[in-house]
Amino acid sequence: MCGLIALRGNWPRGSLAPLIDNARRRGPDMFGIGWLTEGAWIVRHYLTPSWPERFCPEHDVEGPDVWAVGHARLATSGEPGALRDAQPLLIEGMMFSHNGTVYRHERLAERYGFALDTQNDSEALARLFLYHGYDPAQTMEALEEYQGRMNHAWIAASGDQMWIASWGQPLYHFRSRDREAVTSWRSLGAKAIPPGRSIVWNR
Amino acid sequence: MIAALGKKQSVSSQQTWLQTIHRARELEPVIERRIERAVEAIRAAVGAKQLCFGWSGGKDSIVLERVLALAGYRACVLVITSLEYRAFLQWATDHMPPRLTVIRTHHDLGWLAAHPEMLFPSTANIAARWFREVQHWGQERFVKRERFDLLAVGRRRKDGNYCGRDGIYTNARGVTRYAPLADWSHEEIFAALRYFKAELPPCYSWPRGYQVGTGPWPARQFAESRLAAWREVREIEAGIVERAASAGIPGANECLNQG
């Protein structure tokens, strides 16, 4: 149960707040946002107050060329208040946000020889995605071989490419003249991304 | 004719519940019409009002979710603490309704250590306090913030719940609850789950799963003793007992020491 956000294009100041408000409905524990600026990723994580108490992150994401990944987390592994387990994760230059559960993720990591930095089960999936060369289908095939068919969705960004993968957890795509968003909830004008589909954005 | 199962609080045997589930298959020819009548009744009762519902992930709220979806209502709220079973949260992640809002309360191990009387309620008053402080607190927050007129809940008289006259009642805090399934039997709930091909959360395969249902682990009721309750929790998720012992929660250490 998490809220995912992907943004690209022209986003004015204040755009993030309503997106966070919706994302927090699915992920009440913490919020994170990662954005690319001058070729480098910046990521910030925050503990969030109980909905609907107001929450405004210190850093807004705005500008004509936004390239950002956000995540509102409901902790199902680790402690609800442990920011070290917050998403998006930044792993080997890739920003990663995930909605779903990787059961016994330590065993998955052990199977592939991944060294985990957090207690967040999504990290195992992120490393699996890297292992399979950013291929969503191969990653899902490997994950299903490990734990059976489950619902997942993730957003991964590395450099100038972003992969948006829908595998049963909801994702909706909004597009206008100068901006695009993908979110875990349906908003006005957004279309559902069918399960089993991936979108690739190029910056 | 099926001999209906009584109030859930008095039925601790999983075997009895499993027999009830098996007998519920006899309702297959009539459950669709039961659901249709419930949808008609909901639409008549709600009219032009704004309705949301409480979703706990339990069997009754799963049926409630599906019936309300047929009636056109999807906004819902789940209220959780920091004292939930990990397996339940993981299941909920995979099965949450699309328009669910999750509200987490302040209840954690530190709170429980300061309120030991709340551990494994042995009285109806303490059990009711769990509902007041967790579900009712979060539901009220959601209903008032989103300005809903009615909050549908999966309460049923067969569970010993108060459901008000005609399934509708307003509490002292001004929240009007509506129990569309108030007169449904346990067998009808199981028949509806089968009709909807709904998957149940893992708690129903845990010790006394059908008697206890969903909810935070310290709110676990009807165990023979505090130690028996701790043993059940340890069987479900051993890490809970270890963390509780570290936090000084009464009885957790005793359970660990007994092996």
Side-chain angles (χ1 to χ4, degrees), chain A residues 15-84:
Chain A
S15 302
L16 195 56
L19 295 174
I20 295 174
D21 188 60
N22 275 309
R24 285 175 62 205
R25 290 168 180 266
R26 297 178 66 90
D29 298 328
M30 51 188 78
F31 179 77
I33 185 82
W35 66 97
L36 200 64
T37 184
E38 295 176 356
W41 284 108
I42 297 176
V43 60
R44 295 287 182 265
H45 298 126
Y46 311 89
L47 292 177
T48 49
S50 187
W51 188 92
E53 283 180 43
R54 186 173 161 76
F55 168 69
C56 262
E58 187 185 328
H59 298 86
D60 202 349
V61 175
E62 57 169 310
D65 189 27
V66 168
W67 186 247
V69 178
H71 187 276
R73 184 174 187 232
L74 170 72
T76 60
S77 58
E79 294 299 320
L83 275 177
R84 67 172 181 273

Side-chain angles (χ1 to χ4, degrees), chain B residues 23-234:
Chain B
R23 287 200 310 270
R25 293 184 181 204
E26 296 176 28
L27 291 175
E28 266 177 52
V30 299
I31 194 62
E32 186 172 15
R33 185 67 194 121
R34 182 73 160 115
I35 291 167
E36 286 171 357
R37 288 204 314 269
V39 172
E40 291 162 8
I42 288 165
R43 287 177 177 152
V46 178
K49 296 189 179 73
Q50 300 298 310
L51 178 135
C52 63
F53 65 98
W55 188 84
S56 68
K59 55 180 172 50
D60 299 326
S61 67
I62 290 172
V63 173
L64 182 70
E65 173 202 345
R66 303 302 175 93
V67 172
L68 286 175
L70 291 173
Y73 302 102
R74 295 181 191 277
C76 51
V77 59
L78 167 66
V79 190
I80 58 170
T81 67
S82 294
L83 299 166
E84 307 292 333
Y85 296 103
R86 182 198 284 198
F88 170 74
L89 289 180
Q90 291 171 340
W91 177 90
T93 294
D94 290 335
H95 296 87
M96 64 181 292
R99 288 191 56 196
L100 182 74
T101 295
V102 182
I103 296 176
R104 195 192 285 270
T105 71
H106 64 282
H107 301 80
D108 57 14
L109 276 178
W111 170 86
L112 187 61
H115 298 87
E117 72 280 8
M118 295 294 285
L119 178 65
F120 305 139
S122 55
T123 67
N125 278 344
I126 299 291
R129 203 174 134 193
W130 272 106
F131 278 99
R132 270 202 314 277
E133 291 199 18
V134 178
Q135 282 86 353
H136 292 187
W137 177 85
Q139 288 168 356
E140 178 181 333
R141 221 167 151 89
F142 180 73
V143 166
K144 289 184 175 177
R145 169 69 154 79
E146 302 289 87
R147 300 186 184 177
F148 285 103
D149 303 305
L150 291 171
L151 169 73
V153 290
R155 295 170 73 91
R156 294 184 296 119
R157 294 191 175 91
K158 270 295 182 186
D159 280 339
N161 296 144
Y162 173 73
C163 296
R165 186 186 174 89
D166 300 327
I168 296 180
Y169 62 100
T170 303
N171 70 3
R173 298 189 59 84
V175 177
T176 301
R177 283 180 171 79
Y178 168 41
L181 308 177
D183 293 318
W184 282 47
S185 67
H186 301 308
E187 289 79 4
E188 287 169 323
I189 292 293
F190 288 123
L193 288 167
R194 189 174 165 80
Y195 173 83
F196 289 122
K197 297 183 176 56
E199 192 179 317
L200 286 178
C203 63
Y204 292 108
S205 64
W206 296 344
R208 298 187 297 115
Y210 285 101
Q211 187 186 34
V212 174
T214 58
W217 61 262
R220 200 168 179 80
Q221 285 185 269
F222 314 122
E224 289 175 3
S225 65
R226 187 173 71 183
L227 182 60
W230 276 121
R231 284 181 176 148
E232 289 177 348
V233 172
R234 187 178 62 184

